[in-house]
Amino acid sequence: MTSPGSDTPVNPHAGLPFTDDDATIAAMLEEVSIPALMCSMVHLTGDPSWVRGDIRPQGLFLNEYQGYMPEEMKAQARALALPAIAAYRDGGGVLPPPPSREVLHEMMSYLACEETDPAVEPMFITDLNLDVADSGRITWGAAVSAEVKADAPVLVIGAGEAGLLAGIRLQEAGLPFVIVEKNAGPGGTWYENRYPGARVDVGSHFYCYSFEPADHWTEYFSQQPELQEYFERVMEHHALVPHIRFGTEVTAMAFDDAAGRWSVEVRTPDGSAETLDARFVISCVGALNRPKWPDIPGIDDFAGPKFHSAAWDESVDHRGTRFAMIGAGASGFQIAPTIADEVETLTVFQRTAQWMFPNPNYHMPVPAGDKWAMRHLPFYGRWFRFLTFYPGAGLTIENSRVDPAYVDDRGLAISAGNEFTRQMFTDWITSQVGDDPELLAKVVPDYPATGKRTLQDNGSWLACLKKPNVRLVRTGIEKIVVDGVVTVDGTHHPADVLCFATGFRHTEYLWPMEVRGTGGRLLHEQWGDRPSAYLGIAIAGFPNLFCVYGPGTNLAHGGSLIFQSECQINYAMDAIGQTLQGGHRVCAVTQEAHDRYAEHYQSEISQMVWAHPSVEHSHYKNARGEVWTLSPWPIPTYWTWTRALDPTDYTFT
Ligand code: NAP
């Protein structure tokens, strides 16, 4: 698509033309985010005064889209916007010159309700995609000869969100590539996790590719089927299908030092083994992918159906059964409220209570007006995304740092700010179950707030636990027997179906693949229980291999894993680009850079709440209680580090 009379491609984020009448537009404006609308109006009119007046958000809180504006203020904004939008429509949708850098600063500060830091603004401005539809597009492909490209096939492991993204970027670069996917379809975690109630808990308009339209989401926090459809659509739209080998699993890979290539063993759909050759490998296998079954005595004695939440057995009809769920983290938290009314009884075994915070939009549909604005009003959708991105950018990560001067003998808080958060979260829980002291005692966590993954809550979890057919058991499990679960107090809890919502082998990166690097070194021996990679991406001794969602890159303080993947794929592509453009075959992170990063990483993460000893059970920790899984960096810091590879950190041969 090009704009009239020009060869410049139309930026879809600038809005598609519309002919709706004034009454329709007025109706749509009833359902938009007014703060995002005000920013869109700056683009539409070229007038910055929209963000300079008294109509302004009163505060910004994650997953709240109206900036706490009073109703009269919102009505005033709509009344001012309607004639301007009508004039824009009647004028053929011609946009004035874009806002200057200074005005963009004002717009960001307006939405953030604080003066935004110029040091972090480049990331947000790049993400707005104001000039082009995709600011991350790979442009170096033309600088590499066809012959060099032909000799540099890339193998991508996994066709989840990151693997598809890798495919899109490799295609832009013009490199030969194949994506190997163990499942029968794309989507990774969203292909596998089909349990009732599965939905994303990062706002959908941020949990999506920055360069794809986002006007289609039907809910602010999409459910699994819609996410899976999204990844299928992206795969097809970018013509990736011919590059993907479904039902094919990588079992082992070894780097051939002499050839400077990877030799990759796969198990094909018919079970036979095949060896694939690659110059570069990009691992997009995810970190929360391999289910973890608990080591509970008697687990095999259970006579009824049993399955893991990540492999929900659709052949089992759970309706009317006595259903027991072992484990209640993020997955169990979504399953229980969804099935509670369908089962006869629901017994939830929860070892550790979870912190949760209010999110009234968690189950809300996106209204027609919001979708219309995302489709038609210039950059409205981008500013709407900013409303989630900015408070989710980890800019307040210092709140997660343990204050060594703060003393709390209870082990309930790591700083004064954290104690405030604890009280706020406790008030939220108490407001729902304060009338039931027994339940209240079971559901208020006894470790610092945000020490594990904090869950989004609209009240459905605690409402579920109050139902007469639902029981929350916090007593430890002694064993599983033929017809139920026995807790350490000797109580027998009858069950017809057992679901293990017990999480994933998070600390065992790249397991169960056998990965051998330079000199035949085995990755899992090198790592032991301390997996580390430079920027979470490159591993010393394992050249031409890049990990997405590798060690130390999971996010507990904000962000979106899709944005995180965009950072990591950008870096991996730059590494490949620099290698090929420099006439090299191999790029290897130096041991020095790797170790320097690992030391810096561990010194930071060990000071954070997630590593605090009072957080006893956590999938973020290894058996020693150390964290090698989470990122301790604000998102803009990591974005800056992954813009381009620093050649001094690598050897090229
Ligand atoms: P999880 O957070 O690790 O929760 C596992 C649950 O099983 C916990 O309650 C855990 O107790 C319990 N458990 C584990 N081993 C046990 C044992 N041996 N005996 C008794 N209980 C045991 O796993 P998850 O709920 O699948 O979530 C994992 C991650 O996936 C999340 O942190 C999140 O990043 C992601 N996720 C995201 C979404 C979303 O976006 N909405 C949904 C689901 C998952 P303890 O807490 O005591 O260890």
Side-chain angles (χ1 to χ4, degrees):
M1 191 165 53
T2 52
S3 51
S6 121
D7 290 337
T8 316
V10 168
N11 183 348
H13 309 298
L16 301 174
F18 57 95
T19 53
D20 304 86
D21 61 22
D22 289 12
T24 305
I25 298 169
M28 295 299 158
L29 293 184
E30 290 297 319
E31 297 176 332
V32 301
S33 155
I34 299 299
L37 173 70
M38 296 297 276
C39 285
S40 175
M41 296 310 292
V42 175
H43 293 279
L44 187 143
T45 60
D47 179 1
S49 64
W50 290 90
V51 294
R52 289 179 180 162
D54 294 335
I55 302 177
R56 52 181 49 249
Q58 310 294 298
L60 177 61
F61 192 73
L62 187 62
N63 304 325
E64 199 283 335
Y65 310 125
Q66 293 297 350
Y68 303 99
M69 281 185 175
E71 282 309 317
E72 322 80 77
M73 196 186 270
K74 290 196 268 184
Q76 225 183 327
R78 290 185 192 107
L80 291 168
L82 179 59
I85 295 171
Y88 168 73
R89 173 202 58 201
D90 297 342
V94 177
L95 281 179
S100 66
R101 179 70 179 73
E102 291 71 28
V103 172
L104 287 174
H105 167 77
E106 282 186 68
M107 294 163 84
M108 285 186 274
S109 301
Y110 172 84
L111 289 188
C113 298
E114 65 183 18
E115 198 67 25
T116 51
D117 178 355
V120 305
E121 288 176 353
M123 177 185 79
F124 295 109
I125 292 177
T126 305
D127 188 71
L128 285 169
N129 281 328
L130 295 176
D131 304 324
V132 285
D134 178 5
S135 55
R137 195 178 169 81
I138 301 297
T139 52
W140 52 254
V144 178
S145 74
E147 195 189 355
V148 168
K149 283 181 187 161
D151 188 42
V154 183
L155 185 125
V156 178
I157 313 175
E161 56 87 7
L164 296 178
L165 176 64
I168 291 167
R169 296 310 188 208
L170 288 163
Q171 202 159 46
E172 287 165 1
L175 290 177
F177 69 97
V178 60
I179 303 176
V180 173
E181 166 57 59
K182 69 178 170 15
N183 294 326
T189 209
W190 297 110
Y191 180 89
E192 293 179 11
N193 284 268
R194 297 160 185 238
Y195 59 75
R199 73 169 73 227
V200 66
D201 63 5
V202 173
S204 290
H205 299 90
F206 184 30
Y207 189 83
C208 57
Y209 300 108
S210 63
F211 49 89
E212 283 288 313
D215 58 349
H216 53 88
W217 297 116
T218 59
E219 292 178 281
Y220 287 115
F221 294 81
S222 305
Q223 300 192 52
Q224 178 270 335
E226 189 169 4
L227 283 156
Q228 197 196 330
E229 268 172 46
Y230 173 71
F231 292 117
E232 273 170 22
R233 208 168 49 240
V234 169
M235 171 182 77
E236 275 156 24
H237 172 67
H238 290 272
L240 295 175
V241 180
H243 297 271
I244 308 182
R245 290 184 58 172
F246 289 111
T248 304
E249 181 169 357
V250 173
T251 52
M253 55 194 210
F255 188 70
D256 180 334
D257 289 304
R261 304 179 86 89
W262 282 96
S263 170
V264 182
E265 301 289 321
V266 298
R267 187 168 38 237
T268 64
D270 67 9
S272 62
E274 188 184 332
T275 304
L276 305 177
D277 160 72
R279 171 73 66 197
F280 300 96
V281 173
I282 305 179
S283 165
C284 298
V285 298
L288 297 162
N289 181 258
R290 298 288 178 168
K292 190 186 81 186
W293 285 76
D295 192 11
I296 300 174
I299 198 166
D300 293 329
D301 297 342
F302 186 69
K306 60 173 188 292
F307 46 82
H308 191 277
S309 58
W312 189 270
D313 188 342
E314 282 159 357
S315 72
V316 176
D317 185 358
H318 60 270
R319 288 170 301 173
T321 62
R322 294 171 303 172
F323 196 97
M325 187 174 76
I326 297 181
S331 301
F333 196 80
Q334 295 183 324
I335 294 168
T338 314
I339 64 166
D341 291 337
E342 299 167 355
V343 295
E344 184 185 318
T345 59
L346 172 62
T347 312
V348 177
F349 296 88
Q350 190 184 44
R351 186 167 60 186
T352 310
Q354 293 278 353
W355 284 113
M356 62 194 93
F357 80 102
N359 176 3
N361 283 316
Y362 193 30
H363 290 182
M364 293 299 278
V366 180
D370 227 351
K371 283 192 204 158
W372 180 88
M374 285 178 201
R375 200 163 299 146
H376 297 299
L377 294 185
F379 302 103
Y380 172 91
R382 307 311 298 171
W383 291 107
F384 187 89
R385 176 175 161 104
F386 180 91
L387 288 174
T388 302
F389 194 177
Y390 187 84
L395 300 176
T396 54
I397 196 166
E398 283 308 307
N399 293 343
S400 302
R401 194 181 295 275
V402 177
D403 175 358
Y406 186 80
V407 179
D408 180 4
D409 296 333
R410 306 163 305 166
L412 293 181
I414 49 119
S415 65
N418 185 252
E419 170 61 14
F420 177 78
T421 305
R422 193 186 71 80
Q423 284 174 15
M424 192 175 75
F425 287 0
T426 305
D427 287 349
W428 168 241
I429 295 171
T430 310
S431 71
Q432 297 174 72
V433 293
D435 56 344
D436 184 344
E438 202 185 321
L439 181 58
L440 183 66
K442 284 184 186 173
V443 296
V444 176
D446 59 358
Y447 57 90
T450 72
K452 287 156 77 89
R453 183 174 169 97
T454 311
L455 305 178
Q456 305 283 323
D457 182 46
N458 62 349
S460 57
W461 167 252
L462 293 172
C464 159
L465 298 184
K466 288 169 92 172
K467 289 179 190 275
N469 67 329
V470 178
R471 185 125 53 92
L472 174 68
V473 179
R474 292 287 318 279
T475 312
I477 297 171
E478 184 192 318
K479 60 181 176 185
I480 292 171
V481 292
V482 66
D483 59 350
V485 178
V486 177
T487 42
V488 291
D489 58 0
T491 308
H492 174 258
H493 305 266
D496 305 316
V497 182
L498 267 188
C499 170
F500 293 88
T502 42
F504 302 90
R505 304 169 79 120
H506 192 177
T507 55
E508 297 167 67
Y509 285 90
L510 306 194
W511 184 88
M513 294 185 295
E514 184 191 277
V515 184
R516 288 189 183 273
T518 299
R521 65 172 81 179
L522 200 54
L523 180 59
H524 286 106
E525 278 179 15
Q526 175 167 314
W527 271 347
D529 64 351
R530 289 173 165 157
S532 73
Y534 180 65
L535 296 171
I537 302 173
I539 309 159
F542 293 80
N544 288 12
L545 169 65
F546 307 99
C547 299
V548 178
Y549 203 179
T553 62
N554 197 2
L555 300 168
H557 62 291
S560 143
L561 281 172
I562 297 186
F563 186 80
Q564 189 84 335
S565 296
E566 291 192 12
C567 294
Q568 293 160 352
I569 295 284
N570 182 71
Y571 183 87
M573 290 303 297
D574 193 61
I576 294 172
Q578 286 200 35
T579 307
L580 299 181
Q581 289 174 84
H584 310 296
R585 294 177 151 211
V586 177
C587 87
V589 69
T590 65
Q591 191 72 46
E592 191 277 324
H594 179 279
D595 294 352
R596 172 171 30 92
Y597 178 83
E599 202 178 309
H600 183 199
Y601 167 80
Q602 194 51 223
S603 77
E604 279 297 299
I605 198 76
S606 61
Q607 296 179 46
M608 298 297 184
V609 64
W610 311 293
H612 198 259
S614 58
V615 185
E616 193 188 346
H617 297 290
S618 166
H619 66 83
Y620 296 144
K621 290 182 172 180
N622 66 11
R624 306 177 212 225
E626 297 167 346
V627 175
W628 293 89
T629 48
L630 291 175
S631 168
W633 320 118
I635 309 297
T637 304
Y638 192 67
W639 177 83
T640 306
W641 290 346
T642 51
R643 294 303 287 157
L645 171 144
D646 178 348
T648 62
D649 292 332
Y650 283 77
T651 53
F652 295 93
T653 45

